[in-house]
Amino acid sequence: MKKKGSVFIAVGLLMILGAFLLTGYNVLDSLRAERAAAAEAEALRAKLEEAAANALDNFTIDEKPIYVRYPDMQMPEIEIDGVKYVGMLRVPGLGLELPVKGEFSMAGLRTAPCRYTGSVYKDDMIICGHNYNSHFGGLKNLKVGDGAEFTDGDGNVFSYVVSEIVQLDGSDVSGMTEKQEDDSWDLTLFTCTLSGSQRVTVRLLRIEQ
């Protein structure tokens, strides 16, 4: 009995140690991601300011932006250190300003959110972010009516308000990407829950500036 008790204690201690090490790793990984995103955002911000300064080039004779006349056009990308970005996302309520990569990949999510699918010009863009606190970990804390902004590679700014916050099953790809008749959203932000089985999904409506 004594021997069995010692084994149980040893196993318990190992489990506690494992949990401690995992927590420590997650904290360090989140800090690494925060620093990486901040560095990328700083470099992208300078490029976007330059694009905004040349904003006249983005307008046609009738003063409508090119993307209004040609919503099917590809979103312009800005390349920084070999990585392409489609713009910058701001969520003031969470204190976030994050660069958004043009292509989705699990490796890419480790440093910044990625465009999952869609286009801001067609009002169907979906952005995926890791659930780091410095990335999309706080999406669950947003409320209907909270604001967000997306600045594209040409310096155009699109403003949004949160219209709905739901949890979708991790395998429900069509529920995430396909608009139904009664759906009302122009931008989607999502991240996985801590268990990884669900997706915290924030739907937003575009508003006039």
Side-chain angles (χ1 to χ4, degrees):
M1 290 293 291
K2 235 179 184 183
K3 192 172 179 182
K4 260 189 192 175
S6 298
V7 170
F8 287 140
I9 291 172
V11 170
L13 289 173
L14 285 173
M15 290 178 68
I16 292 171
L17 178 60
F20 177 77
L21 291 175
L22 180 61
T23 300
Y25 171 79
N26 288 337
V27 170
L28 290 175
D29 199 36
S30 181
L31 287 172
R32 175 205 54 74
E34 182 177 5
R35 290 177 186 139
E40 292 174 7
E42 184 177 357
L44 183 59
R45 196 178 299 113
K47 296 280 188 179
L48 292 176
E49 288 173 358
E50 183 180 337
N54 298 321
L56 287 178
D57 293 338
N58 301 328
F59 288 82
T60 59
I61 294 174
D62 60 2
E63 296 186 348
K64 287 185 179 178
I66 292 176
Y67 67 81
V68 173
R69 296 187 64 186
Y70 306 104
D72 290 329
M73 67 180 280
Q74 293 293 316
M75 292 181 66
E77 296 180 321
I78 295 176
E79 186 170 332
I80 299 173
D81 295 332
V83 179
K84 293 179 180 179
Y85 300 86
V86 289
M88 184 90 78
L89 174 71
R90 289 184 65 249
V91 186
L94 299 179
L96 295 181
E97 184 176 36
L98 295 166
V100 177
K101 296 179 179 179
E103 291 188 4
F104 172 83
S105 72
M106 294 305 295
L109 286 179
R110 295 197 70 220
T111 56
C114 302
R115 177 175 58 168
Y116 186 70
T117 187
S119 166
V120 70
Y121 307 142
K122 296 175 71 174
D123 290 328
D124 63 358
M125 187 164 72
I126 299 174
I127 301 173
C128 175
H130 205 293
N131 62 4
Y132 299 127
N133 289 333
S134 56
H135 288 189
F136 280 6
L139 287 187
K140 61 184 179 295
N141 299 320
L142 287 174
K143 297 179 179 61
V144 172
D146 284 348
E149 282 185 354
F150 181 83
T151 304
D152 74 359
D154 281 338
N156 300 300
V157 180
F158 301 81
S159 299
Y160 301 87
V161 293
V162 174
S163 59
E164 185 182 23
I165 303 170
V166 297
Q167 282 200 14
L168 298 178
D169 189 84
S171 61
D172 190 5
V173 177
S174 62
M176 175 67 71
T177 60
E178 296 177 11
K179 281 189 177 182
Q180 306 302 320
E181 285 186 13
D182 57 346
D183 279 347
S184 182
W185 59 268
D186 300 314
L187 175 69
T188 295
L189 313 176
F190 80 92
T191 189
C192 61
T193 57
L194 290 177
S195 68
S197 62
Q198 301 285 309
R199 302 289 179 263
V200 178
T201 307
V202 178
R203 306 292 197 184
L204 303 98
L205 289 170
R206 183 142 67 104
I207 59 174
E208 294 297 324
Q209 299 175 13

